[in-house]
């Protein structure tokens, strides 16, 4: 699975390491060292994935992520030396699909990249269009509609809706959704699912504060109702 990957990292040694690893995996990669260059490069040639350092000069990683999300649903793997949960959740709220803290192992970085690419580049021509509760998910076109209106979704959000629409009214635990969206099952990152759900409710609920589609099952997880609202 070859992909074109944009690496935005201001640490030259880290950037060279990531670039070398990606080339060894058979990908093409472009490296930039500040946020403004990352935005310009992404607009010039849309990458299949952005590996994005949080602490970039000119425009920081959060600012870059905001712009990328305004322009489309490019997958984003965010890197940072910060390790607090608040930083992780903020990055996910802005649309990052995964989050790694430094120092990280090269093997884990490549594993995370493979997980995102498998989800976003997997051929979907034979996948059926799914419908539940006013939500339509078209895997072949990576398209979600809600009551006939298109809903922009990050790859992580799309993975959640795809799984839930395939099995309406099934209750998914946070751990199950985490495995679907990020390929990891560490309990310390399960709160990330709450952020994805919060973002989805803003997009598909008439009133996100009183959800009628994407429901919380207290003590268990979440479900997508199969009944139209």
């Amino acid at each position: 699975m070859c992909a074109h990957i944009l690496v935005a990292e201001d640490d030259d040694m880290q950037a060279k390491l990531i670039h070398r690893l990606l080339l060894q995996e058979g990908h093409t990669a472009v490296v930039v060292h500040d946020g403004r260059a990352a935005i310009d490069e992404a607009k010039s040639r849309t990458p299949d994935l952005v590996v994005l350092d949080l602490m970039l000069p000119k425009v920081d990683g959060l600012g870059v992520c905001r712009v990328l999300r305004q322009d489309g649903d490019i997958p984003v793997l965010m890197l940072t030396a910060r390790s607090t949960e608040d930083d992780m959740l903020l990055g996910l709220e802005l649309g990052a699909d995964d989050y790694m803290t430094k120092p990280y192992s090269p093997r884990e970085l490549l594993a995370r990249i493979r997980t995102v690419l498998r989800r976003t580049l997997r051929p979907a021509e034979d996948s059926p269009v799914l419908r539940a509760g006013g939500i339509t998910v078209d895997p072949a076109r990576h398209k979600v509609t809600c009551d006939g209106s298109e809903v922009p979704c990050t790859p992580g959000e799309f993975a959640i809706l795809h799984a839930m629409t395939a099995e309406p009214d099934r209750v998914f635990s946070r751990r199950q959704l985490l495995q679907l969206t990020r390929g990891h099952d560490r309990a310390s990152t399960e709160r990330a699912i709450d952020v994805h759900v919060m973002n989805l409710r803003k997009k598909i609920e008439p009133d996100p504060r009183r959800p009628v589609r994407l429901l919380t099952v207290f003590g268990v997880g979440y479900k997508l109702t199969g009944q139209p609202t």
Side-chain angles (χ1 to χ4, degrees):
M1 182 184 298
C2 297
H4 176 61
I5 300 176
L6 172 59
V7 179
E9 169 64 77
D10 65 331
D11 184 298
D12 191 54
M13 289 185 62
Q14 289 288 325
K16 288 180 179 178
L17 171 63
I18 297 170
H19 185 257
R20 184 172 68 253
L21 291 171
L22 293 176
L23 294 184
Q24 290 172 351
E25 287 280 294
H27 303 302
T28 62
V30 173
V31 174
V32 296
H33 299 289
D34 65 74
R36 173 50 56 191
I39 293 169
D40 292 343
E41 178 62 31
K43 290 182 176 180
S44 174
R45 179 183 177 186
T46 303
D48 297 307
L49 171 70
V50 178
V51 179
L52 180 64
D53 185 33
L54 182 64
M55 302 299 290
L56 290 173
K58 297 187 179 179
V59 180
D60 67 14
L62 296 178
V64 174
C65 199
R66 286 190 186 95
V67 173
L68 295 178
R69 284 293 163 260
Q70 290 170 358
D71 293 342
D73 58 358
I74 300 170
V76 175
L77 170 58
M78 191 167 282
L79 307 176
T80 182
R82 298 175 179 176
S83 59
T84 68
E85 189 174 51
D86 287 344
D87 288 325
M88 179 193 74
L89 296 178
L90 178 57
L92 294 173
E93 284 177 13
L94 291 172
D97 298 283
D98 205 348
Y99 190 102
M100 291 188 69
T101 56
K102 300 176 181 179
Y104 50 80
S105 78
R107 290 181 63 186
E108 183 178 5
L109 175 63
L110 288 176
R112 301 276 190 107
I113 288 172
R114 292 188 197 110
T115 297
V116 175
L117 291 177
R118 278 198 302 268
R119 188 174 65 240
T120 58
L121 297 182
R122 180 187 298 137
E125 288 80 3
D126 297 329
S127 299
V129 175
L130 304 173
R131 295 178 176 86
I135 305 297
T136 300
V137 177
D138 185 344
R141 296 172 178 79
H142 202 271
K143 180 179 179 181
V144 174
T145 60
C146 179
D147 295 332
S149 298
E150 188 167 354
V151 177
C153 290
T154 69
E157 293 164 1
F158 186 90
I160 290 174
L161 280 182
H162 183 243
M164 288 185 156
T165 308
E167 298 185 77
D169 296 312
R170 172 187 167 182
V171 180
F172 290 82
S173 70
R174 288 175 177 82
R175 181 170 294 239
Q176 288 170 326
L177 293 175
L178 186 64
Q179 291 172 334
L180 285 168
T181 59
R182 303 176 66 193
H184 303 281
D185 62 356
R186 293 179 300 170
S188 62
T189 61
E190 288 182 11
R191 276 193 63 198
I193 294 302
D194 297 335
V195 177
H196 285 311
V197 169
M198 178 186 68
N199 289 338
L200 280 169
R201 283 174 171 164
K202 293 176 183 177
K203 298 175 181 181
I204 68 172
E205 295 286 359
D207 182 353
R209 295 169 298 178
R210 299 177 178 84
V212 294
R213 287 188 166 106
L214 185 47
L215 306 179
T216 300
V217 180
F218 291 100
V220 184
Y222 299 102
K223 71 174 183 177
L224 182 72
T225 179
Q227 298 298 319
T229 57

